Amino acid sequence: MPATILTTDDLREFKRQLFKELRELMKKREGGTLKKYLKSSEVMDLLQISPGTLQQLRINGTLPFVKIKGLIYYEAADIQKAMDAHRIHRNTGFSK
């Protein structure tokens, strides 16, 4: 099998393409083109929580949800609101 030699120009082109794709992904995320409604499994992955923790968030009213034909959906905006509402600001005593 013949060896392939990469040049610095090849690496620059790869870097340019990679950053272009990353910028496009970031625009999609910032532009709100992510899904409006998420299933339970998606929320658990997003927040890195267990099914029991997600159930507790539903029970105590932290996360509003919609149940349709046995499937539970969460609005992405509601998840962000809950995260913002439970943000903890602590004074560490350090000044900037």
Side-chain angles (χ1 to χ4, degrees):
M1 183 189 264
T4 303
I5 298 174
L6 292 176
T7 65
T8 53
D9 288 337
D10 294 332
L11 293 174
R12 277 191 204 103
E13 179 62 21
F14 173 74
K15 177 181 165 185
R16 188 188 65 74
Q17 289 176 357
L18 180 63
F19 279 119
K20 180 183 175 187
E21 290 179 25
L22 287 172
R23 277 192 291 275
E24 289 172 7
L25 285 172
M26 295 302 288
K27 282 181 187 176
K28 285 181 183 178
R29 178 165 275 190
E30 291 170 1
T33 57
L34 294 178
K35 294 169 61 172
K36 183 174 179 174
Y37 293 97
L38 304 171
K39 293 181 181 178
S40 292
S41 60
E42 294 169 316
V43 175
M44 288 185 289
D45 288 342
L46 178 69
L47 300 178
Q48 294 294 297
I49 58 175
S50 68
T53 300
L54 185 56
Q55 182 177 8
Q56 275 305 115
L57 294 174
R58 283 195 310 267
I59 290 170
N60 67 22
T62 301
L63 278 183
F65 63 96
V66 176
K67 189 171 185 178
I68 301 172
K69 293 187 178 183
L71 291 175
I72 298 175
Y73 296 94
Y74 305 83
E75 192 168 344
D78 289 337
I79 295 169
Q80 185 62 53
K81 286 177 194 172
M83 296 294 284
D84 292 341
H86 291 84
R87 182 173 307 218
I88 298 172
H89 299 277
R90 296 189 184 207
N91 185 356
T92 60
F94 295 108
S95 60
K96 292 184 180 181

